[in-house]
Amino acid sequence: GAVAPAAAAAGGLGELKMAKKERILRTLQKLNDRDTQKSASEELLAIVRDLDADALQLLLSAIASDAASGGQKVYAKKECARALGVLGSDYCGAHAAALQAPYLGRSVTQLKKYLADSDSGVREAASESSALLARGLSEAPSAVQPQSPSPLLRMLCDCLSDGKRETQAAGAVALGLSAPFLGHLDAALCKDLVRKLSSPSFHAAPALLGALGSCDVTTGQPEGIIKHNSGTFSAILPATVGAGAASGGRTPGCGALGALSSKEWSLRRAACDLLRTLALLYGPAFEPVGCFDAGDEACLSARCYRALDASCRFDKVKEVREVARDALVLMDALREHGRAGGDAHGWPAFAKERLASGALPGAGALQGGIGTPPPPAEKGR
């Protein structure tokens, strides 16, 4: 008597699971067809919205299998990468399960493959989805969150250690986008990120500099890893700032200042942007020993000013010149603010005022060191 209904129920569940699987496979197939890819994208999001634990497992297996087959086209890869990020949001019907083992690990593994893809659009989608997953993890109840470091953070660090420039860059971008949601990073990891800037085996310094710190192109506000780990990085500010090449270039530079003389304009711009960001973020605390005397070697802002003035103030690339000028204005303002006894509270308004005026000493004003009178101030932009 009772066996037959139980068997019927089991059969019904089996049929339901098969129907879910067929829907997923059919949608992934349509993503690879130009004529059906748009509607398939909408269907994929609907699948994610309606997910339960069983369907979640089916979806992750299908995406991994489709990607491994080698037949997945660029459009399909991008949409699947985006779907993996949405799994960690409230939009997903099974987002609580998606943020836990074993599903989180499977999503992270697949995102790592997309971060290493040959297509830049796929890598970009995977970077954005990594940040979405990081956000989902940060908002999840503490009982759900994985042990530190999370599988996501470990995966991004693995990408930074990959031999390919493109994968390193994608990992750096993803780390920068994820920074607001990763909590406080380990001090050893922060030091390693700074060391990578000068490592001959690391080929994506522009992306890593940008991830460490940059100013939002719309708001001008600082963002990036250092903003969310300012206390940890304050202890390694001199190393982060670095030094320019010495002995006529025979001794390579390091850190942000070492990048200012690069032949790669995107690297020069990223270094200028990081210096601008550091000045805005730290204010008077940018000088670890409170030294604002331009003639003192301990004065970081003066060291930055001289390097920017010599390397990028009159850069042939406009994008570099513009950011370098902002950085120069801020380094000059920082010393003025510090010498006048200004504090961190008054720094944002002072910096904003100086950026608006754009006034700068003439070229080479600090190159002579102690006792060199500054030339007349140069007019703003």
Side-chain angles (χ1 to χ4, degrees):
V3 176
L13 289 173
E15 288 177 11
L16 182 61
K17 189 171 183 178
M18 184 59 68
K20 290 176 181 177
K21 183 175 183 179
E22 287 177 356
R23 181 188 180 195
I24 290 169
L25 293 175
R26 187 169 60 248
T27 301
L28 294 182
Q29 188 176 13
K30 286 181 178 179
L31 281 174
N32 282 312
D33 187 329
R34 186 183 296 272
D35 294 331
T36 55
Q37 59 188 23
K38 190 172 185 303
S39 62
S41 296
E42 296 168 356
E43 179 67 9
L44 182 59
L45 278 178
I47 289 171
V48 170
R49 181 193 61 210
D50 300 337
L51 281 181
D52 55 23
D54 279 343
L56 173 60
Q57 182 172 336
L58 292 171
L59 177 63
L60 290 172
S61 296
I63 289 176
S65 177
D66 197 32
S69 70
Q72 200 175 41
K73 294 182 179 177
V74 167
Y75 185 90
K77 290 177 184 178
K78 287 194 287 190
E79 293 305 304
C80 287
R82 291 190 180 107
L84 291 173
V86 179
L87 290 179
S89 72
D90 290 346
Y91 182 84
C92 172
H95 74 276
L99 295 172
Q100 300 180 70
Y103 309 112
L104 176 62
R106 297 182 69 179
S107 294
V108 166
T109 297
Q110 190 56 47
L111 276 176
K112 183 179 182 182
K113 293 175 182 177
Y114 286 140
L115 285 168
D117 195 82
S118 59
D119 184 84
S120 61
V122 175
R123 297 195 300 273
E124 183 180 350
S127 295
E128 292 169 353
S129 282
S130 296
L132 271 177
L133 269 187
R135 180 173 185 167
L137 286 166
S138 73
E139 295 173 349
S142 56
V144 173
Q145 293 179 12
Q147 291 183 337
S148 183
S150 76
L152 180 65
L153 179 57
R154 285 200 300 270
M155 180 272 283
L156 297 179
C157 291
D158 285 347
C159 287
L160 294 179
S161 300
D162 189 274
K164 288 167 54 183
R165 176 190 176 111
E166 293 79 11
T167 307
Q168 291 176 353
V173 170
L175 191 58
L177 292 173
S178 303
F181 315 113
L182 291 174
H184 293 298
L185 299 183
D186 184 73
L189 172 57
C190 294
K191 289 178 182 177
D192 187 54
L193 293 176
V194 172
R195 278 195 294 266
K196 283 185 185 299
L197 293 174
S198 309
S199 168
S201 63
F202 189 74
H203 312 294
L208 182 53
L209 283 166
L212 286 170
S214 61
C215 288
D216 186 277
V217 292
T218 305
T219 65
Q221 293 301 305
E223 53 187 20
I225 296 167
I226 294 177
K227 176 181 178 180
H228 300 281
N229 296 271
S230 57
T232 305
F233 275 91
S234 66
I236 53 173
L237 264 180
T240 307
V241 169
S247 306
R250 288 191 295 273
T251 303
C254 59
L257 296 188
L260 293 178
S261 56
S262 170
K263 294 179 181 178
E264 189 178 348
W265 76 265
S266 62
L267 180 52
R268 299 196 303 275
R269 187 198 179 284
C272 292
D273 202 4
L274 176 59
L275 293 172
R276 171 173 67 171
T277 302
L278 290 174
L280 285 171
L281 277 176
Y282 284 99
F286 183 71
E287 298 292 354
V289 294
C291 176
F292 298 96
D293 181 354
D296 193 318
E297 288 186 6
C299 183
L300 270 185
S301 54
R303 187 197 307 174
C304 293
Y305 188 99
R306 280 190 283 266
L308 286 160
D309 193 39
S311 299
C312 298
R313 182 171 184 165
F314 302 107
D315 199 283
K316 61 185 178 181
V317 179
K318 182 182 179 183
E319 289 93 332
V320 179
R321 287 198 307 274
E322 290 177 344
V323 181
R325 187 174 181 92
D326 278 354
L328 280 162
V329 168
L330 287 168
M331 292 299 171
D332 188 55
L334 191 53
R335 285 184 300 102
E336 182 183 337
H337 188 67
R339 288 198 305 269
D343 59 11
H345 180 73
W347 168 243
F350 188 78
K352 184 177 180 180
E353 181 183 323
R354 284 295 304 271
L355 281 171
S357 77
L360 272 178
L366 299 189
Q367 301 302 334
I370 303 173
T372 304
E378 182 183 313
K379 297 295 182 186
R381 279 172 280 197

